[in-house]
Structure formats: structure tokens, C-alpha cells
Amino acid sequence: MAIKLLEDLPGVGPATAEKLRDAGFNSVETVAVASPGELVAAAEVGEATASKIIAAAREAAEIGGFETGDRILERRRQVGKVTTGSHSFDELLGGGMETQAIVELYGEFGSGKTQVAHQLAINTQLPKEMGGLGGSAIIIDTENTFRPERIAQMVRGLPPGPDGETWDPEEFLKNISVARAFNSNHQILLAESAMDLAEKVKDSEKPVRLLIVDSVTAHFRAEYVGRGTLADRQQKLNKHLHDLMRFADLNNALILVTNQVMAKPDTFFGDPTKPVGGHVLGHTATFRLYLRKSKGEKRIARLVDSPNLPDGEAVFTVTTEGVKD
Ligand code: GTP
Ligand code: MG
């Protein structure tokens, strides 16, 4: 029997399934990547049962152990690329921002992080022939900077569709789900609920292909002040980033996170030009882009680390119509 539902797993009855879902384990895949301790806490089962459930889920989901190179290649074949709206920016990224990856935009205030995020929430919805992913977007907004009016402006700035059609801002807004995060714990919880939301629309016309966290570090920075709390903060941030990476893998989605670096020296966190989150973010993010302001509408993106692309820079603009060359 093919295992599809939680209830299909040995040792999982309706009551246990219910408890698992309440705790955010809403699919066989999420159970497969859980630890026995997490399941014990979530479903009030014994350690041995938890291990058995996880083993069965891993087998069913075919995740957990080593994978052969050809399987990885198969999964990598599903990777989609979404346009930024600027050819030069896309070129820097080898054709656009990739799914199954975390892209970190870091830079000073006004460098264009939120603008790029808004543009990607739109472009993700475009058909593939226009550099889109034909999907929907989720935004975790920690700074209250999401602006539907800005989305509408940018949609009006899109080039016409393949059949010359114009685009309706309302339609785009319907496919962007936004939640405000009030503190870092709330932010972590919202990333877990995003998983539920994505699971629900997985087989719909608009599966979630983009999850934005803008900003991923602001709450952590505000709440964990002082050297003594650094380890704590990094541990929490690390867990959050791993949740996000799991989201990217399970949903073939792009994770776009922003991270402000301050112009003003910040004595607590050392070098002011280094992004907050330091090593934790650096090691988890697949692509790191440093954005900075240039003259007028011009912005410069520098690709800092990438697994398979040369470092380099691209110039793009943030205009009223959106991100352009
Ligand atoms: P923080 O969140 O403060 O760290 O900054 P950020 O990097 O997110 O900056 P954001 O993306 O919000 O960029 C704001 C800048 O984008 C503004 O200063 C403008 O230069 C530009 N911008 C925003 N809206 C418009 C617009 O409608 N037209 C034009 N031409 N530029 C805009
Ligand atoms: Mg911003």
C-alpha cells in the first residue's frame, strides 16, 4: 500500500495523526525529517513508537538516508529559476533565482531588499515562458513593510504576456499570502504554518514556489542584545533557517530572506559591514547577495558566495514600475 496520509503509517491512529498535525507535522515528509524526541513531545507516544513511525515515514517519503547521485540529479532537474526583472541581475545568478535554495539579500536600509522581494512575489506567479514559476508566494513580514499598492504598481509595470495580455493586480495579490511576525518566536511559528499552507495548495494550480522572510534577522537582533545571548540567538536562528531549507526542499521553493547591515557601527555585533547572523546565515544560505545603493534608481548586487557560480556584480534599477535593468 502506498503511504500518503499520516494515518497510513504504522502506529499512527486518527488521534495521533490529529496531534501530529496540530504540532505542524502535516505530511509524511515532515514526519520523516523529525527527530524521535520531537514526535514524543508532539504526539505523546513512546520513544520506540516514535522511532518506528519515523522509520516508516522515511521509507515512504524516500528521504533520510544517502541518496545516489542520479536521484539527486533528478531532484535538481526540478529546480526552477525565477527572473528578478533585470537581465543583468539574472545573469549574475545564472539565469535567475533558484528554487530549492535560500537566497539572502543583505545591505543597508534603502538598498532595495524589500523592493526585490516584492518583485519576486510577482514574478514567481508569471508563466514559465516569462521567467516565472507559475506558483504563489508567502511573505513573513517582520517589519511591516509589505505594501499591496506597491505590488499593484509593479504588476502594471510588467511586460505584456505571451499572447499580448495585460495583467490584473488583484489576481497577483490573491496569490500572495502575508503574515506579520511580532517577535522571533512568532516568526519561527509562522514558518511552520507556512508549511501547512504550502501542503494545502501543493496540488493546486498555484503551488507555493516562494517564501519570503523580510527581515529574517531583525527580531533576533532586537531581542538578543549583548554578547551573553549570542549563542542562544544563533541556535534559534539556526533552527529557523533549517526549517526554511526544509520548506525549500519539500516544496521545490525559493526562500528569499533579507538581512540589514547597518551603516552605523554596532558595537555588539562587531564589524558593521558584516551581515547579522554571521556564520549561521552564511553557511545555510545558498546564495548571498550584497545590495548597495548607487546613483538615483541604480542599485548594485554583488554575488558573494555561491556553490557553482563565479562571484561578480550586476547593476539594476528600482523604478516605479519595479526591478528593471
Ligand atoms: P530596509 O528594509 O530599511 O533595510 O531597506 P530595504 O533594503 O528593504 O530598502 P527598500 O527595498 O525598501 O528600498 C527603498 C527604496 O526603494 C526607496 O528609497 C526608493 O529609492 C526605492 N523605491 C521604493 N518605491 C519606489 C517607487 O515607487 N519608485 C521608485 N522609483 N523607487 C522606489
Ligand atoms: Mg526592507
Side-chain angles (χ1 to χ4, degrees):
M1 178 187 77
I3 291 181
K4 282 230 156 80
L5 300 170
L6 294 181
E7 286 86 343
D8 299 334
L9 293 165
V12 179
T16 305
E18 179 86 28
K19 283 182 198 152
L20 285 172
R21 286 198 187 94
D22 283 346
F25 297 100
N26 49 24
S27 65
V28 174
E29 283 83 3
T30 53
V31 171
V33 292
S35 70
E38 285 177 311
L39 243 56
V40 169
E44 291 154 17
V45 293
E47 182 96 24
T49 310
S51 299
K52 226 172 64 190
I53 294 171
I54 290 168
R58 285 190 179 163
E59 201 171 314
E62 293 173 10
I63 38 183
F66 288 95
E67 266 184 302
T68 49
D70 60 324
R71 298 287 308 251
I72 297 170
L73 183 64
E74 185 51 42
R75 187 147 48 83
R76 293 290 306 164
R77 281 208 182 100
Q78 311 293 317
V79 167
K81 284 185 182 168
V82 55
T83 180
T84 60
S86 151
H87 292 106
S88 64
F89 200 166
D90 286 353
E91 219 162 276
L92 179 72
L93 293 162
M97 291 191 187
E98 279 185 18
T99 62
Q100 297 179 33
I102 297 181
V103 174
E104 176 195 353
L105 301 173
Y106 72 96
E108 278 181 31
F109 73 94
S111 56
K113 303 180 295 293
T114 297
Q115 297 300 311
V116 171
H118 276 63
Q119 187 71 61
L120 267 291
I122 294 166
N123 293 359
T124 294
Q125 301 183 41
L126 290 171
K128 293 213 168 80
E129 58 266 43
M130 286 187 70
L133 299 167
S136 57
I138 296 178
I139 301 180
I140 298 176
D141 182 10
T142 76
E143 305 194 295
N144 196 19
T145 51
F146 174 75
R147 293 289 175 275
E149 304 83 358
R150 190 68 184 118
I151 295 287
Q153 263 182 342
M154 287 177 165
V155 169
R156 287 191 286 269
L158 286 171
D163 304 317
E165 68 264 47
T166 51
W167 305 102
D168 177 7
E170 289 270 328
E171 286 304 311
F172 282 78
L173 286 166
K174 274 185 198 149
N175 292 311
I176 303 174
S177 304
V178 187
R180 277 195 63 192
F182 296 103
N183 56 48
S184 63
N185 279 328
H186 188 207
Q187 182 179 331
I188 290 170
L189 286 175
L190 285 173
E192 290 169 11
S193 335
M195 200 79 105
D196 296 340
L197 184 54
E199 183 68 27
K200 269 190 210 126
V201 297
K202 206 166 183 168
D203 299 315
S204 76
E205 251 177 55
K206 292 272 183 200
V208 179
R209 290 283 180 255
L210 170 65
L211 172 59
I212 291 167
V213 188
D214 184 12
S215 130
V216 75
T217 45
H219 282 316
F220 289 91
R221 169 160 37 194
E223 291 163 29
Y224 295 83
V225 179
R227 287 209 178 276
T229 61
L230 197 65
D232 230 19
R233 183 188 80 181
Q234 295 304 78
Q235 203 172 20
K236 275 269 180 72
L237 192 53
N238 190 35
K239 183 220 178 293
H240 184 45
L241 290 166
H242 278 95
D243 286 348
L244 295 176
M245 197 60 228
R246 193 191 292 184
F247 186 100
D249 283 343
L250 293 182
N251 295 295
N252 188 20
L254 158 67
I255 312 294
L256 187 59
V257 303
T258 72
N259 184 10
Q260 196 194 59
V261 289
M262 293 201 273
K264 195 171 84 200
D266 180 338
T267 47
F268 281 122
F269 299 126
D271 186 344
T273 64
K274 290 250 166 68
V276 174
H279 296 307
V280 175
L281 253 178
H283 292 160
T284 317
T286 327
F287 300 93
R288 313 193 87 189
L289 289 158
Y290 177 51
L291 301 189
R292 61 186 200 274
K293 282 184 258 195
S294 183
K295 280 205 190 99
E297 296 181 325
K298 281 210 174 93
R299 296 290 185 281
I300 298 160
R302 173 199 285 268
L303 184 64
V304 177
D305 278 324
S306 128
N308 55 0
L309 290 170
D311 289 3
E313 286 193 346
V315 179
F316 66 97
T317 59
V318 175
T319 72
T320 303
E321 288 72 40
V323 174
K324 306 282 171 194
D325 268 321

